[in-house]
Amino acid sequence: MTTHDTFQLKELLTPGTKAVILTHKNPDGDALGSSLGMKNYLDKLGVAAISIVPNSFPKYFNWMQGSDTIINFEQQKEKAIEALNAAEVIFYLDFNNLSRMDEGLKTAAENSVAYKVLIDHHLQPDDIADFVHHRVEASSTCELVYEFITLMGDESKIDKNIGGCLYTGIMTDTGSFRFSSTSAQTHLIASKLIELGVEHTRIHDEVMSTYTVDRMRFLGYCISDKLVVLPVFKTAYIAVTDEELKRFNNKPGDSEGIVNYALSIADVKFAAFFSEREKEIRISFRSSGGFDVNQFARKHFTGGGHAMAAGGKSDLSIAETIKKFVEILPLYQAELAK
Ligand SMILES: [Mn+2]
């Protein structure tokens, strides 16, 4: 779905305009890459752009240009709200439902009269923006930001710095170009970015070869001690408590990707990772296709995302959450057995 008035937006994105770029909670490579790619592009237009994240992000993204200027809402609430109140244009990147941010940011965004631009690839977008560039088939929001800049007639403004940010999100959201969302268009954009001088090997190492010893041992512990496989439902899950996260000095991003290991087991089509964080259970769902985890997350765990990758949460205890999860599975037995 695309609703364009590029002419109107181009008039707004001129020197001196104040813009704010928002993205989802627990920002990942695509959230940060699209936010900073956009910020660096807006900087080139002379737009005063501020990127705000709801909470902290892994430090292995710190090499991206502009990362040192990001406002972390959790730490700088007043500064963030001030920027939002002054904004004339607000970008919503890599989410399409305001509750994916944080209550405080949601309210400020809702109350703002700024022109809203939504660029995203998650399913079922809410009607929250004036300008929408949304495509579920897109590999990543970074791919869409590339398209957006092109749409604005500014493809030639994309340089190595913007390109490095956009490459990061494309790489992380496609699992290094292996997920089925990777299209010819994805490779075409990646190719153009490499031609601009984007150092793909360095970026891969910066972002992927970043395990601390704690994180590596935590991954090992999850797989050897915590993995539960339910062959009847072709399902595998891992659940960790607050205490276990603390024992391994868990840092933001340390649990990222663990769910994919559960999905790598032959004959497992549905995987889940549960983690207890300050009394709330956060859940990642993955499927290897055929089983719609977006629907599953929306229906049972107040979440959503993509058909093959979604998130959810639960206010129950971790034991009760697992019990609920396991009791729901028989409802999907026919679908999972396919
Ligand atoms: Mn994304």
Side-chain angles (χ1 to χ4, degrees):
M1 181 183 64
T2 307
T3 325
H4 297 137
D5 190 343
T6 40
F7 184 77
Q8 191 186 7
L9 185 55
K10 257 188 111 58
E11 292 225 309
L12 273 170
L13 297 182
T14 43
T17 295
K18 292 188 178 77
V20 161
I21 301 160
L22 295 172
T23 193
H24 60 78
K25 207 170 175 185
N26 306 317
D28 55 10
D30 193 31
L32 291 163
S34 58
S35 292
L36 290 174
M38 182 64 81
K39 179 187 157 46
N40 292 328
Y41 162 63
L42 295 175
D43 281 351
K44 277 195 156 180
L45 300 180
V47 171
I50 296 172
S51 162
I52 300 174
V53 293
N55 59 348
S56 61
F57 56 87
K59 64 175 188 305
Y60 49 77
F61 290 119
N62 280 345
W63 58 271
M64 279 192 256
Q65 177 169 292
S67 67
D68 53 336
T69 67
I70 292 177
I71 297 179
N72 176 348
F73 180 68
E74 231 168 43
Q75 290 162 4
Q76 297 174 281
K77 285 204 165 72
E78 262 172 47
K79 209 174 159 191
I81 297 296
E82 208 175 286
L84 267 168
N85 289 342
E88 293 155 277
V89 184
I90 296 178
F91 288 84
Y92 297 144
L93 301 185
D94 204 35
F95 70 99
N96 60 39
N97 169 330
L98 294 175
S99 47
R100 287 280 284 123
M101 293 192 295
D102 172 285
E103 269 311 305
L105 283 174
K106 179 177 186 253
T107 309
E110 274 169 348
N111 291 340
S112 163
V113 295
Y115 185 87
K116 314 276 177 26
V117 179
L118 180 134
I119 304 176
D120 177 56
H121 64 134
H122 294 87
L123 293 160
Q124 294 164 281
D126 283 354
D127 185 13
I128 47 173
D130 305 291
F131 184 110
V132 177
H133 186 51
H134 178 269
R135 199 154 55 83
V136 173
E137 302 77 33
S139 70
S140 53
T141 296
C142 281
E143 182 175 321
L144 293 173
V145 168
Y146 189 100
E147 290 177 0
F148 168 79
I149 297 174
T150 305
L151 229 116
M152 299 299 283
D154 286 331
E155 190 174 11
S156 63
K157 289 200 165 64
I158 300 176
D159 59 14
K160 190 181 164 183
N161 282 319
I162 297 171
C165 299
L166 299 183
Y167 188 89
T168 301
I170 294 173
M171 179 189 76
T172 55
D173 259 27
T174 58
S176 302
F177 300 91
R178 80 176 189 278
F179 298 156
S180 60
S181 57
T182 310
S183 66
Q185 165 79 343
T186 315
H187 281 290
L188 203 66
I189 291 173
S191 151
K192 288 181 181 172
L193 298 179
I194 289 169
E195 271 175 2
L196 290 172
V198 167
E199 297 164 89
H200 58 96
T201 307
R202 188 185 61 79
I203 292 177
H204 194 276
D205 284 347
E206 284 291 356
V207 178
M208 302 298 184
S209 307
T210 52
Y211 276 65
T212 57
V213 175
D214 280 330
R215 184 179 177 191
M216 192 55 85
R217 291 199 195 287
F218 177 65
L219 170 64
Y221 172 73
C222 286
I223 293 170
S224 77
D225 289 30
K226 306 296 294 187
L227 176 72
V228 179
V229 184
L230 305 169
V232 185
F233 304 113
K234 296 189 177 175
T235 296
Y237 71 86
I238 293 167
V240 290
T241 64
D242 223 6
E243 185 278 319
E244 288 167 319
L245 291 169
K246 287 199 179 98
R247 203 191 311 159
F248 289 92
N249 287 313
N250 205 268
K251 301 272 184 313
D254 277 6
S255 308
E256 191 73 41
I258 293 181
V259 66
N260 294 318
Y261 287 90
L263 197 63
S264 306
I265 302 167
D267 274 336
V268 166
K269 292 172 90 181
F270 179 30
F273 180 81
F274 301 83
S275 60
E276 182 186 27
R277 319 251 171 180
E278 291 146 20
K279 302 294 156 216
E280 187 187 81
I281 313 298
R282 284 197 216 146
I283 318 166
S284 298
F285 296 110
R286 294 288 183 281
S287 105
S288 54
F291 183 65
D292 189 339
V293 293
N294 170 57
Q295 290 300 339
F296 185 88
R298 275 181 192 259
K299 190 155 181 213
H300 304 289
F301 293 99
T302 41
H306 308 278
M308 300 208 294
K313 59 184 181 181
S314 159
D315 294 325
L316 302 169
S317 72
I318 188 120
E320 287 164 334
T321 304
I322 298 302
K323 189 167 175 280
K324 175 179 165 183
F325 175 71
V326 173
E327 282 173 0
I328 292 167
L329 289 175
L331 300 174
Y332 296 92
Q333 189 165 9
E335 231 177 297
L336 288 164
K338 260 187 236 161

mmCIF file of all heavy atoms in Angstrom, residues 7-30:
data_model
loop_
_atom_site.group_PDB
_atom_site.id
_atom_site.type_symbol
_atom_site.label_atom_id
_atom_site.label_comp_id
_atom_site.label_asym_id
_atom_site.label_seq_id
_atom_site.Cartn_x
_atom_site.Cartn_y
_atom_site.Cartn_z
ATOM 1 N N PHE A 7 5.000 15.497 -3.962
ATOM 2 C CA PHE A 7 5.140 16.937 -4.183
ATOM 3 C C PHE A 7 4.968 17.692 -2.864
ATOM 4 O O PHE A 7 5.810 18.517 -2.489
ATOM 5 C CB PHE A 7 4.112 17.411 -5.216
ATOM 6 C CG PHE A 7 4.251 18.863 -5.556
ATOM 7 C CD1 PHE A 7 5.278 19.295 -6.407
ATOM 8 C CD2 PHE A 7 3.371 19.799 -5.021
ATOM 9 C CE1 PHE A 7 5.415 20.644 -6.705
ATOM 10 C CE2 PHE A 7 3.509 21.156 -5.324
ATOM 11 C CZ PHE A 7 4.527 21.579 -6.171
ATOM 12 N N GLN A 8 3.889 17.344 -2.149
ATOM 13 C CA GLN A 8 3.618 17.988 -0.857
ATOM 14 C C GLN A 8 4.761 17.738 0.133
ATOM 15 O O GLN A 8 5.218 18.649 0.818
ATOM 16 C CB GLN A 8 2.309 17.440 -0.290
ATOM 17 C CG GLN A 8 1.803 18.218 0.915
ATOM 18 C CD GLN A 8 0.580 17.551 1.536
ATOM 19 O OE1 GLN A 8 0.187 16.449 1.149
ATOM 20 N NE2 GLN A 8 -0.015 18.209 2.507
ATOM 21 N N LEU A 9 5.224 16.493 0.177
ATOM 22 C CA LEU A 9 6.282 16.153 1.127
ATOM 23 C C LEU A 9 7.597 16.831 0.748
ATOM 24 O O LEU A 9 8.318 17.328 1.618
ATOM 25 C CB LEU A 9 6.451 14.632 1.198
ATOM 26 C CG LEU A 9 7.452 14.124 2.241
ATOM 27 C CD1 LEU A 9 7.118 14.640 3.637
ATOM 28 C CD2 LEU A 9 7.501 12.598 2.257
ATOM 29 N N LYS A 10 7.898 16.893 -0.525
ATOM 30 C CA LYS A 10 9.125 17.551 -0.978
ATOM 31 C C LYS A 10 9.156 19.021 -0.545
ATOM 32 O O LYS A 10 10.198 19.545 -0.173
ATOM 33 C CB LYS A 10 9.239 17.463 -2.505
ATOM 34 C CG LYS A 10 10.238 16.406 -2.959
ATOM 35 C CD LYS A 10 10.488 16.439 -4.442
ATOM 36 C CE LYS A 10 11.883 16.903 -4.817
ATOM 37 N NZ LYS A 10 12.987 16.126 -4.263
ATOM 38 N N GLU A 11 7.987 19.640 -0.585
ATOM 39 C CA GLU A 11 7.891 21.048 -0.156
ATOM 40 C C GLU A 11 8.195 21.186 1.334
ATOM 41 O O GLU A 11 8.735 22.186 1.782
ATOM 42 C CB GLU A 11 6.485 21.573 -0.425
ATOM 43 C CG GLU A 11 6.191 21.700 -1.900
ATOM 44 C CD GLU A 11 5.518 23.013 -2.232
ATOM 45 O OE1 GLU A 11 4.513 23.324 -1.554
ATOM 46 O OE2 GLU A 11 6.015 23.725 -3.128
ATOM 47 N N LEU A 12 7.809 20.146 2.083
ATOM 48 C CA LEU A 12 8.037 20.174 3.531
ATOM 49 C C LEU A 12 9.498 19.900 3.885
ATOM 50 O O LEU A 12 10.034 20.459 4.844
ATOM 51 C CB LEU A 12 7.164 19.114 4.204
ATOM 52 C CG LEU A 12 5.752 19.522 4.586
ATOM 53 C CD1 LEU A 12 4.957 18.294 4.999
ATOM 54 C CD2 LEU A 12 5.775 20.537 5.730
ATOM 55 N N LEU A 13 10.119 18.998 3.121
ATOM 56 C CA LEU A 13 11.488 18.583 3.458
ATOM 57 C C LEU A 13 12.508 19.559 2.856
ATOM 58 O O LEU A 13 13.285 19.220 1.973
ATOM 59 C CB LEU A 13 11.742 17.144 2.981
ATOM 60 C CG LEU A 13 10.866 16.076 3.643
ATOM 61 C CD1 LEU A 13 11.229 14.694 3.138
ATOM 62 C CD2 LEU A 13 10.973 16.124 5.171
ATOM 63 N N THR A 14 12.477 20.756 3.382
ATOM 64 C CA THR A 14 13.371 21.805 2.892
ATOM 65 C C THR A 14 14.182 22.363 4.061
ATOM 66 O O THR A 14 13.831 22.120 5.224
ATOM 67 C CB THR A 14 12.550 22.923 2.205
ATOM 68 O OG1 THR A 14 11.411 23.193 3.018
ATOM 69 C CG2 THR A 14 12.077 22.505 0.820
ATOM 70 N N PRO A 15 15.256 23.096 3.771
ATOM 71 C CA PRO A 15 16.133 23.556 4.849
ATOM 72 C C PRO A 15 15.369 24.258 5.977
ATOM 73 O O PRO A 15 14.487 25.082 5.731
ATOM 74 C CB PRO A 15 17.094 24.515 4.139
ATOM 75 C CG PRO A 15 17.179 23.964 2.755
ATOM 76 C CD PRO A 15 15.794 23.452 2.444
ATOM 77 N N GLY A 16 15.703 23.877 7.204
ATOM 78 C CA GLY A 16 15.113 24.511 8.375
ATOM 79 C C GLY A 16 13.932 23.750 8.951
ATOM 80 O O GLY A 16 13.583 23.936 10.124
ATOM 81 N N THR A 17 13.311 22.878 8.153
ATOM 82 C CA THR A 17 12.174 22.088 8.668
ATOM 83 C C THR A 17 12.654 21.202 9.815
ATOM 84 O O THR A 17 13.753 20.648 9.766
ATOM 85 C CB THR A 17 11.565 21.224 7.540
ATOM 86 O OG1 THR A 17 11.006 22.087 6.557
ATOM 87 C CG2 THR A 17 10.479 20.292 8.070
ATOM 88 N N LYS A 18 11.803 21.078 10.837
ATOM 89 C CA LYS A 18 12.152 20.217 11.975
ATOM 90 C C LYS A 18 11.460 18.864 11.812
ATOM 91 O O LYS A 18 10.239 18.795 11.697
ATOM 92 C CB LYS A 18 11.708 20.871 13.287
ATOM 93 C CG LYS A 18 12.477 22.134 13.637
ATOM 94 C CD LYS A 18 12.110 22.592 15.045
ATOM 95 C CE LYS A 18 12.887 23.823 15.458
ATOM 96 N NZ LYS A 18 12.345 25.047 14.839
ATOM 97 N N ALA A 19 12.274 17.833 11.824
ATOM 98 C CA ALA A 19 11.723 16.482 11.665
ATOM 99 C C ALA A 19 12.175 15.577 12.806
ATOM 100 O O ALA A 19 13.256 15.769 13.373
ATOM 101 C CB ALA A 19 12.173 15.887 10.337
ATOM 102 N N VAL A 20 11.303 14.634 13.161
ATOM 103 C CA VAL A 20 11.662 13.617 14.154
ATOM 104 C C VAL A 20 11.453 12.249 13.516
ATOM 105 O O VAL A 20 10.484 12.033 12.782
ATOM 106 C CB VAL A 20 10.816 13.772 15.442
ATOM 107 C CG1 VAL A 20 10.828 12.492 16.266
ATOM 108 C CG2 VAL A 20 11.336 14.929 16.295
ATOM 109 N N ILE A 21 12.384 11.348 13.782
ATOM 110 C CA ILE A 21 12.305 9.987 13.255
ATOM 111 C C ILE A 21 12.079 9.040 14.425
ATOM 112 O O ILE A 21 12.863 9.012 15.370
ATOM 113 C CB ILE A 21 13.613 9.615 12.515
ATOM 114 C CG1 ILE A 21 13.855 10.593 11.357
ATOM 115 C CG2 ILE A 21 13.568 8.174 12.029
ATOM 116 C CD1 ILE A 21 15.291 10.640 10.874
ATOM 117 N N LEU A 22 10.976 8.293 14.367
ATOM 118 C CA LEU A 22 10.653 7.359 15.451
ATOM 119 C C LEU A 22 10.729 5.924 14.944
ATOM 120 O O LEU A 22 10.431 5.653 13.782
ATOM 121 C CB LEU A 22 9.232 7.619 15.963
ATOM 122 C CG LEU A 22 8.976 8.962 16.637
ATOM 123 C CD1 LEU A 22 7.479 9.129 16.901
ATOM 124 C CD2 LEU A 22 9.750 9.071 17.946
ATOM 125 N N THR A 23 11.089 5.023 15.835
ATOM 126 C CA THR A 23 11.077 3.612 15.491
ATOM 127 C C THR A 23 10.619 2.796 16.687
ATOM 128 O O THR A 23 10.299 3.362 17.737
ATOM 129 C CB THR A 23 12.451 3.161 14.949
ATOM 130 O OG1 THR A 23 12.291 1.875 14.348
ATOM 131 C CG2 THR A 23 13.508 3.098 16.035
ATOM 132 N N HIS A 24 10.568 1.479 16.515
ATOM 133 C CA HIS A 24 9.976 0.637 17.566
ATOM 134 C C HIS A 24 10.896 0.360 18.747
ATOM 135 O O HIS A 24 12.101 0.603 18.693
ATOM 136 C CB HIS A 24 9.477 -0.680 16.970
ATOM 137 C CG HIS A 24 10.552 -1.505 16.314
ATOM 138 N ND1 HIS A 24 11.439 -2.270 17.028
ATOM 139 C CD2 HIS A 24 10.879 -1.682 15.008
ATOM 140 C CE1 HIS A 24 12.257 -2.896 16.194
ATOM 141 N NE2 HIS A 24 11.942 -2.544 14.956
ATOM 142 N N LYS A 25 10.282 -0.157 19.800
ATOM 143 C CA LYS A 25 10.985 -0.522 21.016
ATOM 144 C C LYS A 25 11.990 -1.636 20.719
ATOM 145 O O LYS A 25 11.807 -2.410 19.791
ATOM 146 C CB LYS A 25 9.948 -1.010 22.040
ATOM 147 C CG LYS A 25 10.379 -0.817 23.459
ATOM 148 C CD LYS A 25 9.249 -1.079 24.434
ATOM 149 C CE LYS A 25 9.795 -0.985 25.848
ATOM 150 N NZ LYS A 25 8.799 -1.332 26.852
ATOM 151 N N ASN A 26 13.029 -1.727 21.531
ATOM 152 C CA ASN A 26 14.114 -2.692 21.320
ATOM 153 C C ASN A 26 14.607 -2.626 19.878
ATOM 154 O O ASN A 26 14.555 -3.612 19.138
ATOM 155 C CB ASN A 26 13.651 -4.118 21.655
ATOM 156 C CG ASN A 26 13.081 -4.206 23.047
ATOM 157 O OD1 ASN A 26 13.641 -3.640 23.990
ATOM 158 N ND2 ASN A 26 11.957 -4.863 23.202
ATOM 159 N N PRO A 27 15.077 -1.452 19.454
ATOM 160 C CA PRO A 27 15.414 -1.266 18.048
ATOM 161 C C PRO A 27 16.495 -2.246 17.574
ATOM 162 O O PRO A 27 17.503 -2.450 18.242
ATOM 163 C CB PRO A 27 15.907 0.184 17.974
ATOM 164 C CG PRO A 27 16.150 0.614 19.373
ATOM 165 C CD PRO A 27 15.292 -0.225 20.251
ATOM 166 N N ASP A 28 16.240 -2.842 16.407
ATOM 167 C CA ASP A 28 17.173 -3.805 15.805
ATOM 168 C C ASP A 28 17.907 -3.135 14.642
ATOM 169 O O ASP A 28 17.803 -1.921 14.443
ATOM 170 C CB ASP A 28 16.395 -5.048 15.349
ATOM 171 C CG ASP A 28 15.256 -4.694 14.402
ATOM 172 O OD1 ASP A 28 15.178 -3.531 13.954
ATOM 173 O OD2 ASP A 28 14.440 -5.584 14.100
ATOM 174 N N GLY A 29 18.619 -3.936 13.867
ATOM 175 C CA GLY A 29 19.412 -3.393 12.763
ATOM 176 C C GLY A 29 18.566 -2.630 11.756
ATOM 177 O O GLY A 29 19.000 -1.608 11.223
ATOM 178 N N ASP A 30 17.366 -3.122 11.489
ATOM 179 C CA ASP A 30 16.519 -2.465 10.495
ATOM 180 C C ASP A 30 15.937 -1.162 11.052
ATOM 181 O O ASP A 30 15.865 -0.154 10.347
ATOM 182 C CB ASP A 30 15.391 -3.415 10.072
ATOM 183 C CG ASP A 30 14.672 -2.933 8.820
ATOM 184 O OD1 ASP A 30 15.323 -2.280 7.971
ATOM 185 O OD2 ASP A 30 13.475 -3.224 8.677
#
